[in-house]
């Protein structure tokens, strides 16, 4: 179980997260929706301490990190178990696709090269890139890069994966391929927290949908509850705007 | 009208070049030590410790804000002879140390710029799979910074190369002091100094060609 408790985060005077608590049950897919500036990406980045909350606690099973009193080792421990897929992929530009997937296994998990190589090749073929192993990120399309990103996140066998708008930077025709891979990952039973604007994906795959606005969780529930019977007028307003533009 | 002697001009090259090794030694030693200092300064500039920040600010401001020539006089004649271990070093090393301090303050900016020009997302990608800051630096960020660093760093190298001529003022017999001594003997200032200018210029062009070659080799990989 991944759990956020009373997370607060400000950038200067700008209070981005106002006491957010959220629970992501093990093996479930939680999709976080919300307008830009609602704090959803910041919340996600607090889950692996890329952003350190001003106060609050992040729990992952038996790991519990209090943002006002933590040790560096605790954060490394957390990050081995909660990996991330970024909007801009953030693949290592000086490494091939295969090396990107292998990197964490070698430097963090200290696996031997042959083992890391075997697992990585396997993962790349799972995301449909068996023939791109030796390509550098600059030689891959956005969709391919993002699929390498997902393979890299899977490589450490984490308990949870965070997806930060994984399709937002992609050409529309490449979105489908990435979402397919994400659906396949969801079926493996790994815990996923996904920030996205892909409503169809949320409806099909999410076990829980969370709507955030102005630094608070406005509403959460099953996709049916949130999409078909939103309780808050703010949620309704957001959804109707998104539907119009879709 | 001054009677320019092409004979004297040609004849000036070989005695000046007998001191080429001193100039090259000064250049390479200053560059290497300066680079190590500059790297330390660049990493310090990432620190959020207020004492380190203040120290760095004063340090850089001092070395950039005063003439290298004056620094040489102060360090080589004033300070170094009064510091225990350093005073036992040969004078050539005194010049190297001072020039390293002086030029590292410029080179640190090059290092800092190169590290900063690597997209922030590269570090985040590393951290997101559990790598430490230093693992990320060593394996991902610094190798990429190498791309951006060759052109500005070669400029630093050329600055150091030219700057070594200042060491002539504190009694290091490199090419410039040699030329000075030669011309004060036969008073052929025009020929001698033109010859040494050509030597500096020629070497500079050779270094620039090497730079181009390195640039192409390093950037062709990815």
């Amino acid at each position: 179980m991944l759990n956020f408790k009373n997370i607060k985060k400000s950038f200067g005077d700008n209070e981005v997260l106002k006491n957010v608590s959220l629970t992501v049950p093990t093996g479930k897919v939680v999709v976080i929706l919300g307008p830009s500036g609602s704090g959803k990406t910041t919340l996600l980045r607090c889950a692996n301490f890329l952003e350190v909350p001003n106060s609050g606690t992040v729990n992952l099973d038996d790991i519990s990190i209090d943002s006002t009193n933590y040790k560096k080792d605790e954060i490394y421990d957390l990050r081995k178990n909660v990996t991330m897929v970024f909007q801009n992929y953030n693949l290592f530009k000086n490494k091939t696709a295969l090396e990107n997937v292998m990197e964490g296994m070698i430097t963090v998990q200290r696996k031997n090269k042959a083992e890391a190589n075997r697992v990585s090749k396997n993962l790349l073929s799972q995301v449909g890139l068996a023939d791109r192993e030796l390509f550098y990120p600059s030689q891959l399309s956005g969709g391919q890069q993002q699929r390498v990103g997902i393979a890299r996140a899977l490589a450490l066998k984490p308990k949870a994966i965070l997806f930060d708008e994984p399709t937002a930077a992609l050409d529309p025709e490449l979105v489908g391929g990435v979402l397919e891979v994400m659906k396949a990952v969801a079926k493996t039973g790994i815990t996923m927290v996904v920030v996205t604007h892909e409503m169809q994906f949320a409806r099909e795959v999410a076990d829980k949908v969370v709507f955030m606005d102005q630094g608070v969780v406005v509403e959460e529930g099953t996709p049916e509850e949130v999409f078909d019977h939103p309780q808050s007028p703010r949620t309704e307003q957001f959804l109707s705007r998104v539907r119009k533009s879709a | 009208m001054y009677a320019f002697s092409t004979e004297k001009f040609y004849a000036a090259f070989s005695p000046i070049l007998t001191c080429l090794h001193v100039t090259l030694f000064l250049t390479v030693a200053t560059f290497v030590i300066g680079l190590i200092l500059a790297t330390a300064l660049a990493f310090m500039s990432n620190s959020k410790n207020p004492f380190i920040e203040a120290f760095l600010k004063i340090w850089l401001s001092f070395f950039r804000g005063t003439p290298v020539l004056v620094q040489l006089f102060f360090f080589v004649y004033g300070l170094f002879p009064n510091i225990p271990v350093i005073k036992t070093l040969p004078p050539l090393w005194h010049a190297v140390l001072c020039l390293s301090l002086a030029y590292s303050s410029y080179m640190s900016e090059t290092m800092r710029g190169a590290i900063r020009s690597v997209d922030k997302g590269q570090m985040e990608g590393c951290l997101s799979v559990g790598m430490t800051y230093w693992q990320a630096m060593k394996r991902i960020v610094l190798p990429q910074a190498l791309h951006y660093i060759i052109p500005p760093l070669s400029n630093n190298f050329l600055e150091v190369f030219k700057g070594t001529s200042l060491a002539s003022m504190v009694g290091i017999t490199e090419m410039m002091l040699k030329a000075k001594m030669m011309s004060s003997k036969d008073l052929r200032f025009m020929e001698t100094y033109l010859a040494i200018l050509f030597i500096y210029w020629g070497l500079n062009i050779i270094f620039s060609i090497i730079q181009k070659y390195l640039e192409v080799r390093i950037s062709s990989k990815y």
Side-chain angles (χ1 to χ4, degrees), chain A residues 91-108:
Chain A
L91 294 185
F92 310 132
K93 287 181 190 158
N94 57 332
K95 304 272 176 193
T96 62
L98 188 65
E99 288 167 340
N100 263 276
V101 183
M102 286 168 67
E103 185 66 23
M105 281 190 268
I106 290 173
T107 56
V108 180

Side-chain angles (χ1 to χ4, degrees), chain B residues 6-36:
Chain B
T6 47
E7 232 169 88
K8 288 276 180 194
F9 171 65
Y10 292 135
F13 280 86
S14 90
I16 293 175
L17 283 171
T18 60
C19 294
L20 173 64
H21 68 285
V22 183
T23 292
L24 290 183
F25 174 79
L26 280 169
T27 307
V28 173
T30 300
F31 185 72
V32 171
I33 297 174
L35 198 58
I36 294 167

Side-chain angles (χ1 to χ4, degrees), chain A residues 85-91 145-146 164-166 169, chain B residues 119:
Chain A
V85 173
F86 297 87
Q87 182 175 352
N88 297 317
Y89 333 127
N90 292 350
L91 294 185
Q145 288 189 60
Q146 195 58 296
D164 181 17
E165 307 205 25
Chain B
D119 174 22

Side-chain angles (χ1 to χ4, degrees), chain A residues 20-227:
Chain A
V20 176
S21 295
L22 183 68
T23 298
V24 184
T26 302
K28 301 292 181 192
V29 178
V30 170
V31 171
I32 305 177
L33 302 173
S36 47
S38 59
K40 54 195 194 303
T41 288
T42 306
L43 181 67
L44 202 67
R45 290 166 58 84
C46 285
N48 62 354
F49 274 66
L50 278 187
E51 222 61 84
V52 179
N54 298 116
S55 66
T57 310
V58 176
N59 296 293
L60 178 76
D61 296 342
D62 51 347
I63 304 172
S64 172
I65 304 185
D66 178 350
S67 61
T68 56
N69 178 23
Y70 62 88
K71 295 194 190 73
K72 264 192 177 162
D73 285 348
E74 294 177 323
I75 293 187
Y76 292 132
D77 211 22
L78 176 72
R79 286 178 184 156
K80 281 174 215 171
N81 290 295
V82 185
T83 55
M84 190 171 219
V85 173
F86 297 87
Q87 182 175 352
N88 297 317
Y89 333 127
N90 292 350
L91 294 185
F92 310 132
K93 287 181 190 158
N94 57 332
K95 304 272 176 193
T96 62
L98 188 65
E99 288 167 340
N100 263 276
V101 183
M102 286 168 67
E103 185 66 23
M105 281 190 268
I106 290 173
T107 56
V108 180
Q109 294 185 326
R110 309 260 168 215
K111 283 197 173 149
N112 70 52
K113 247 189 162 165
E115 163 80 353
N117 197 292
R118 192 183 57 77
V119 175
S120 302
K121 283 189 166 179
N122 205 343
L123 284 169
L124 279 182
S125 68
Q126 273 178 44
V127 298
L129 293 172
D131 56 340
R132 293 286 186 274
E133 283 171 5
L134 301 178
F135 284 52
Y136 285 96
S138 61
Q139 298 165 318
L140 298 172
S141 74
Q144 290 170 336
Q145 288 189 60
Q146 195 58 296
R147 284 185 278 156
V148 175
I150 295 172
R152 178 177 72 177
L154 284 167
L156 295 182
K157 294 213 175 13
K159 292 180 174 166
I161 303 185
L162 312 167
F163 292 83
D164 181 17
E165 307 205 25
T167 56
L170 295 177
D171 287 340
E173 60 196 304
L174 301 177
V175 171
V178 170
L179 293 180
E180 283 310 312
V181 171
M182 288 171 63
K183 281 179 202 167
V185 172
K187 286 205 185 93
T188 65
I190 201 165
T191 308
M192 289 168 64
V193 188
V194 186
V195 168
T196 186
H197 293 293
E198 297 291 334
M199 299 298 163
Q200 194 53 41
F201 175 83
R203 203 180 258 280
E204 278 178 47
V205 182
D207 297 295
K208 177 152 105 176
V209 173
V210 176
F211 176 70
M212 283 183 71
D213 190 28
Q214 296 184 5
V216 296
V217 172
V218 176
E219 184 162 354
E220 55 182 294
T222 64
E224 292 73 31
E225 284 167 357
V226 175
F227 286 128

